[in-house]
Amino acid sequence: MFEKRLTLDAVRFLNSRCFVLAFHAPEIARAARPGQFLMLAASDGIEPLLRRPMAVYQILESSGEPVGFSVLVERTGKGTTLMSKMQAGDEVAVLGPLGSSFAPPGDATAEAVLVMGGVGAAPFPLFARALLEAGHTTRAFIGGRTSEHLLCAEDFAALGVPVTQATDDGSAGHHGLVTAALTEYLSGCDGPVAIYSCGPTPMMRAVDSIASARGLPHQVSLEAPMACGIGVCLSCVVPAVDEAGGWRYRRICREGPVFDASTLLWEHPDD
Amino acid sequence: MTERRPADLGVDVGSLRLKNPIMLASGTVGYGEEIGELVDLSELGGIVVKGLSLEPVTGNRPQRIAETPGGMLNSIGLQNVGVEAFVRDKLPNLRRYDTRVIANIWGKTVQDYAAVAARLDQAEGVHALELNVSCPNIKEGGISFGTDPKQLHEVTAAARAATSKPLWVKLAPGVTDIGLIARAAEEGGADALSAINTIRGMMVNVESRAPMLSTVFGGYSGPGLLPIALYLLFEIRKATPLPLIGIGGINELEHVLQFMIVGACAVQIGTANFYDPTFSSRVVDELAQWCRNHEIDSLAELVGSLRLPRQG
């Protein structure tokens, strides 16, 4: 991991709420793996105090060499609102890359099915590229509340990855939940499939029910409020099974953000 | 032209010499493993590890933090690996560094504290113990050890009897008379006092109308603590001659200097390790530069040099 003050290269708005921040940072670009994240300061001062965790969205290349990265941000609160006002040339404190990454399917012949909701799409175009390079057939299911909340469809299209979209209000793609479209697709699959998901917790949990009902491997990328991003504040914990058959907390920032979903406990064991 | 020699930043916390007054506070750097990837711990005066108990502790259920104006709340619930696993798995890595390792310890009973202190008394590479007295005494109705002079005296004396290593007591701020508390720790046998621990606080989500923390309230830390900690340190300074370690809101050299002028011989960096993880090593360099610029040969010149205004 690297702790750097980076100069913001470019800001690109995807819609009224979502934007991409691009940085020149060859060391981070070389080190970053799909699914990892960075901690970005939203301001130079102490309001807001804590850095924001952001998934690596793109690795930017020049002459085939990794030279930078970008993050995809949705404006949802105080920190991301400040970030939406950043301009090229601004200096931003960045720590990363951090955490675990997506692993390609163990079965070399497996199709990779990526299921995402809203800004949870951010890590998947980079992972899709790695999957295609490794020879995996790859498919994307993108869900959102409205058409404005569907992200990354163009990235998958550019990679030649088929996309199925679903919106809660029917403003684009299937009218309904992305998990309904997923179920329908899986019903027609007879080859090996590996599932990957990132998005709202109810979506990931529903995807996990679908995957486990069919005995499919499922990796999930989690998010939680966190102060440090490196595993010392112990705030971003999630209950997970341990080797002894009990459970213990795992840190989303360190053992995650990508977990084998079969190790997670969606219901807290004390409930 | 002669170049001034580098400023000697060494300080004495009682019998324990630190190479400089900058330490990392308990609960903000784990056991040094992760922060060690970003900061050379050998450049620092010391590291105070995450509070250790006799047995491993799972900690509170999420949500464990909330950002606040000027700081943050935490309710981690003293999650830690337990003293045995610390000595076996974490301490060997810390011994690689040329720095002071201070073990923060806590318990639910006086006997717990004494047992953890006794275990660490034998541990090579632990240079001092720091008692976290902000936890409830389950045998005394759950009243925090650190808020009752009698209980604080008792727990300090029990730890004192269990170790010959330097014993620091980390004082909690939520008390009426911090001087009284400080004297209780001194009379119990403390070698130094660190102040302050977090202050209790809460935040509410207005949409769900639920507290932001699963435990309703938590410990407030961060920049907002600075003036409160400075004032309490000032009161503690008046109450006892023990060496003091300043903690609370430090994120600039200026803050380190303020603590030292009020009377701290060393400081601990806490929440800043989360949002500016290399601050501690930068501030060591800044302190050396400041001393050179001000022709200060020993930081002892600075400690307690507060000039009070004429009263009346």
Side-chain angles (χ1 to χ4, degrees), chain B residues 264-277:
Chain B
C265 57
V267 298
Q268 292 175 14
I269 314 298
T271 301
N273 297 317
F274 296 154
Y275 61 88
D276 187 4

Side-chain angles (χ1 to χ4, degrees), chain A residues 1 3 46-52 95 225-228 230-235 237 247 249 251 254 268 270-271, chain B residues 27-30 34 37-38 50 58-65 67 69-71 76 223 251 274-275 277-278:
Chain A
M1 70 179 142
E3 160 73 358
I46 56 163
E47 296 291 343
L49 189 68
L50 304 175
R51 297 184 188 188
R52 285 358 190 201
L95 175 66
M226 59 179 72
C228 71
I230 63 171
V232 292
C233 75
L234 303 179
S235 50
V237 296
W247 70 276
Y249 284 121
R251 298 167 294 184
R254 197 79 176 180
H268 196 283
D270 289 344
D271 286 342
Chain B
T28 66
V29 288
E34 300 86 355
E37 297 174 36
L38 293 168
K50 175 80 178 154
T58 306
N60 294 331
R61 65 190 295 163
Q63 183 162 337
R64 291 177 167 189
I65 60 161
E67 202 169 35
I76 307 304
N251 65 9
F274 296 154
Y275 61 88
T278 56

Side-chain angles (χ1 to χ4, degrees), chain B residues 157-179:
Chain B
R160 172 76 291 160
T163 182
S164 56
K165 289 183 177 174
L167 181 66
W168 305 354
V169 176
K170 184 172 183 176
L171 300 181
V175 295
T176 310
D177 183 350
I178 193 93

